[in-house]
Amino acid sequence: MGSEVSTGGGRTARGRIERRQAILDGAFAVFARRGYAQTCVKEIAQEAGVAKPTVYSHLNDKESLYREAVEVAADRIGAQSLAVVEQLREVPADSDPRAPLTTVARGLTRAFSAPDARAVRQLACAEAAQFPDLAVRVRERTALRVRSALADRLARLALAGRLRPCDPEVAAEHFLSLLTGPLEYRPDADPDTVAAHATDVFLQAYGK
């Protein structure tokens, strides 16, 4: 009997977690589509497939929905980008870094240019006056986490003699700027082309 109670409780907990995630996913989709001011909780409930009172049972108000929906999406995008950077961990110390750096550059440009990533940046900036701390937290969970991880990987390549001695934080900033700059100026730029050019310029500066 104890096992049945535990299992039922587990199902209840999982169901609540799944409903909360559905609400946050629905909120993010509606906010991205309509913006903060034009979004109503009823529309979020419809998007999530739940009743409006269910939304309020998980998050108290529209402001809470906005904050958490954007932050959860930022965490997801940051994790995807970190997984791309981690591919550099497997680079043999005696290998040419061009191919793995190009692969990572390609993965990051695709992650940065994905609709959800663009929406997170737009939502964090669009309401910066009302949620001044949200843009900071989004930056911490995406750009700064990725820069830190990339700096660590570049430092290892430099120590192995595959890159010139450098400040890895600065090198990471340069590499990321070469990727994000073209995407800001030319949103329709081909990610693979951006990645190839960024890697070429980076290695001209930091390659051996």
Side-chain angles (χ1 to χ4, degrees), residues 106-119:
R106 188 180 299 118
L108 288 176
T109 52
R110 288 175 177 171
F112 296 157
S113 61
D116 279 3
R118 292 184 184 277

Side-chain angles (χ1 to χ4, degrees), residues 28 32 66 69-77 114-126 134-135 138-139 142:
F28 182 74
Y66 191 78
V70 173
E71 288 179 8
V72 167
D75 279 336
R76 182 175 66 252
I77 291 160
D116 279 3
R118 292 184 184 277
V120 164
R121 293 194 296 271
Q122 290 167 356
L123 290 172
C125 293
L134 183 59
V138 166
R139 181 169 171 266
T142 54

